[in-house]
Amino acid sequence: MRLVILGATGQVGWQLVRQAPPSIEVIPVARQGTAVTLDLEDLDAIPQLLKTFRPDVVINAAAYTAVDQAEQEPERAQRINGTAVGRLAETMADLGGLLIHYSTDYVFAGTQSLPYRETDPPAPLNAYGYSKWLGEQAIAIHNPAHLILRTSWVYDLRGKNFLRTMARLAQTRPLVRVVADQIGTPTAAPFIARVTYQLLERWQADRSLSGLYHLTPRGSTSWYGFAAKIFDHLRTQGWAVAALEAISSSEYPTLAQRPAFSTLNCQKLEAVLGTPFPPWEVVLEPLLNQLDPQSVL
Ligand SMILES: NC(=O)c1ccc[n+]([C@@H]2O[C@H](COP(=O)([O-])OP(=O)(O)OC[C@H]3O[C@@H](n4cnc5c(N)ncnc54)[C@H](OP(=O)(O)O)[C@@H]3O)[C@@H](O)[C@H]2O)c1
């Protein structure tokens, strides 16, 4: 099996490259820093690359992920997260391969009180969420063999993410104020990669497997709750950490509006894989144990 991984330098893409089973031939692709490069804004380069390598599977972990910046350049976000995904889907439909693609909890408005299912209607509040929804729709239109995996609040020990930002602020500020009225589920990039390969294995056994799935650990918390876990860990390791204060979203204005509640119900994917997902705290723990607080400064 030949697998092209797009976004190979991103949080999820990097873990996908690391965790690829040895039986798979992997071609990592990024905008720069890989032997094969691709800028998704160069729409014609997408079919060119895929028709050169003719992969059995493409995993698209590349995306415009700057949620606030997307408010200022929504067309660019739509080009990368929507139009380019359409070209990917169209080409994979031609080639007859599988497209695995990631989407986001931010396609939802956050007005529900129960975790969102795949059948719940998207109603994005911000430009990033809208652009990712366009990508989902583009895949549905071209309809290659596909698996769309919506995930949320992605972090890892590398990259730009909440875990690393909080670990840095905990050590460099006297007080850190974090919003407590946005509820969702922190999801580690290594977990996403692991589950993706489990699902790919299922697809190899049953090629009729297709569609939209939610992929996060179980449970939920607020950004404040997530920060508190990180701060508690650093404290128990003997580090002097900042005071942590819970605030409301109105006290921390951002360009993009975010859903108040975007927990995803992952039962559909758990049923396919035949196993319940662990709670988010259990997924976080090994990463906290590997975190070198000085590496984030
Ligand atoms: N991060 C989150 O909290 C979150 C939440 C929900 C869903 N997701 C989804 O999960 C997936 C993976 O996210 P992630 O957190 O791993 O993202 P990430 O760390 O921001 O990585 C995104 C990758 O996309 C690449 N990229 C951006 N624009 C590109 C372009 N025009 N052409 C080619 N590559 C481009 C980036 O390359 P450069 O390094 O060159 O910029 C980077 O390698 C995405 O689909 C994202 O929408 C993420």
Side-chain angles (χ1 to χ4, degrees):
M1 171 180 286
R2 180 179 283 175
L3 167 65
V4 162
I5 298 174
L6 303 178
T9 53
Q11 299 187 86
V12 173
W14 194 78
Q15 286 295 340
L16 286 165
V17 175
R18 265 189 80 164
Q19 293 188 29
S23 59
I24 298 182
E25 180 197 352
V26 175
I27 302 171
V29 179
R31 218 169 2 190
Q32 54 188 22
T34 42
V36 181
T37 56
L38 173 70
D39 186 334
L40 286 172
E41 287 193 82
D42 182 356
L43 295 175
D44 291 336
I46 297 168
Q48 274 166 22
L49 182 139
L50 296 180
K51 284 177 179 166
T52 301
F53 290 101
R54 304 188 78 81
D56 304 289
V57 180
V58 171
I59 307 184
N60 180 31
Y64 182 111
T65 56
V67 176
D68 289 306
Q69 202 178 317
E71 297 298 312
Q72 291 174 316
E73 45 178 10
E75 297 85 7
R76 181 145 182 255
Q78 287 177 27
R79 217 160 37 242
I80 297 168
N81 294 344
T83 316
V85 174
R87 289 303 283 271
L88 269 176
E90 185 183 17
T91 312
M92 290 312 281
D94 281 356
L95 293 176
L98 171 69
L99 175 61
I100 301 181
H101 175 76
Y102 299 98
S103 190
T104 174
D105 55 332
Y106 283 4
V107 297
F108 293 118
T111 48
Q112 267 187 208
S113 53
L114 285 176
Y116 283 91
R117 291 179 179 272
E118 291 80 353
T119 45
D120 288 321
L125 296 178
N126 57 46
Y128 164 75
Y130 181 72
S131 72
K132 294 294 292 183
W133 187 33
L134 288 182
E136 295 182 1
Q137 293 174 74
I139 293 173
I141 289 166
H142 295 291
N143 199 26
H146 67 269
L147 296 162
I148 300 173
L149 307 174
R150 285 195 191 127
T151 189
S152 67
W153 297 21
V154 179
Y155 66 91
D156 199 354
L157 293 175
R158 58 181 288 287
K160 191 171 180 303
N161 58 61
F162 187 83
L163 168 61
R164 287 170 50 88
T165 301
M166 284 301 129
R168 176 167 49 80
L169 295 181
Q171 300 174 77
T172 54
R173 297 265 179 93
L175 170 69
V176 180
R177 304 166 82 227
V178 181
V179 298
D181 57 359
Q182 291 170 27
I183 306 297
T185 308
T187 307
F191 174 77
I192 296 173
R194 192 161 61 244
V195 173
T196 301
Y197 283 123
Q198 286 169 0
L199 187 60
L200 180 56
E201 205 180 312
R202 282 294 152 123
W203 179 82
Q204 286 180 281
D206 173 8
R207 298 207 171 199
S208 69
L209 199 62
S210 186
L212 176 63
Y213 296 88
H214 288 173
L215 191 184
T216 71
R218 284 194 172 187
S220 60
T221 187
S222 64
W223 290 111
Y224 171 81
F226 187 11
K229 276 272 170 214
I230 299 162
F231 277 49
D232 286 349
H233 171 81
L234 290 173
R235 205 175 289 111
T236 58
Q237 297 297 303
W239 293 83
V241 296
L244 185 63
E245 186 188 336
I247 58 168
S248 67
S249 299
S250 60
E251 291 175 272
Y252 187 77
T254 52
L255 284 177
Q257 195 187 342
R258 288 163 169 77
F261 177 88
S262 60
T263 305
L264 302 175
N265 177 323
C266 300
Q267 284 171 0
K268 184 181 171 193
L269 185 51
E270 288 178 330
V272 166
L273 298 177
T275 173
F277 293 150
W280 69 269
E281 298 95 323
V282 170
V283 175
L284 171 63
E285 199 176 298
L287 276 84
L288 284 179
N289 290 333
Q290 290 167 54
L291 174 69
D292 170 6
Q294 276 172 323
S295 71
V296 298
L297 294 177

